[in-house]
Amino acid sequence: MSTQDAFAVFDSLTARQHETLALAATHMTSKQIAIELGLAPVTIDKRIDVVRARLGNIARTELLRLYSQWIDMHDRAIDDPIILAIQRGKQAMTAMQPADPTLTFADSLSSDLQQNWGSDLIRLRPGLRPSDLGVAGKLLCILGGAVAMMVVAVLSVAFASALMSLF
């Protein structure tokens, strides 16, 4: 099969086939591609084999060589998913991210006991901290804030209606 015929086949591939071939062209194995895409390695092999069959059952290395040439010859927009997939694949091969520790969220009522809030925290009065309020004190503060917002909303509506009655 000629190079032009192969390029015509590459032009008609699906986005998933392009994504798979682009990662394979970066010298990733089927298992590495499967991990990257969250698929089974068999699925990756099937996608590649379908393209190989359309090209006359050429060798995988020859397919990837032709595909690399096809990528180099075509102008692609910078946000093209094929280009982004190639960059992501190269990055995944060269630099593995370290595993982060699992983050656990503390209960919202006890979080202030565990956190260092710093000295810039606005205090209710000197020496009183939010953790000194307890559960009932915190709930009363929340309820007081909600009532204050409701009063502001009612006064705003009353003011707006008074202005409308003037016109």
Side-chain angles (χ1 to χ4, degrees):
M1 176 173 276
S2 73
T3 305
Q4 295 304 325
D5 293 336
F7 289 175
V9 170
F10 294 147
D11 287 332
S12 66
L13 296 179
T14 66
R16 290 180 176 168
Q17 288 170 328
H18 278 295
E19 183 179 38
T20 303
L21 287 175
L23 291 173
T26 63
H27 307 290
M28 292 177 74
T29 64
S30 293
K31 187 174 181 180
Q32 290 170 328
I33 297 169
I35 291 169
E36 178 80 19
L37 299 179
L39 300 170
V42 173
T43 305
I44 302 303
D45 289 334
K46 284 182 183 179
R47 287 182 184 174
I48 293 172
D49 289 341
V50 166
V51 178
R52 286 182 55 224
R54 289 181 64 187
L55 294 173
N57 290 321
I58 62 173
R60 182 174 172 148
T61 55
E62 180 65 17
L63 167 69
L64 298 178
R65 185 187 65 75
L66 288 171
Y67 190 76
S68 295
Q69 286 178 356
W70 180 79
I71 288 174
D72 292 339
M73 291 183 63
H74 284 76
D75 292 331
R76 296 282 179 190
I78 193 67
D79 62 341
D80 189 346
I82 296 170
I83 291 174
L84 296 176
I86 290 172
Q87 291 172 349
R88 185 176 66 234
K90 287 181 181 177
Q91 189 177 33
M93 285 181 53
T94 58
M96 299 299 287
Q97 292 183 355
D100 291 333
T102 303
L103 299 175
T104 307
F105 294 101
D107 184 24
S108 61
L109 294 177
S110 62
S111 65
D112 57 346
L113 297 174
Q114 299 170 359
Q115 299 294 327
N116 181 11
W117 293 98
S119 61
D120 58 340
L121 179 66
I122 298 174
R123 307 240 184 249
L124 299 176
R125 65 177 183 181
L128 183 64
R129 295 178 304 195
S131 60
D132 294 337
L133 293 176
V135 175
K138 291 176 185 178
L139 290 176
L140 284 174
C141 286
I142 292 171
L143 182 63
V147 169
M149 286 191 293
M150 184 63 84
V151 168
V152 168
V154 168
L155 290 175
S156 298
V157 169
F159 182 71
S161 64
L163 285 177
M164 295 301 282
S165 67
L166 292 176
F167 296 110

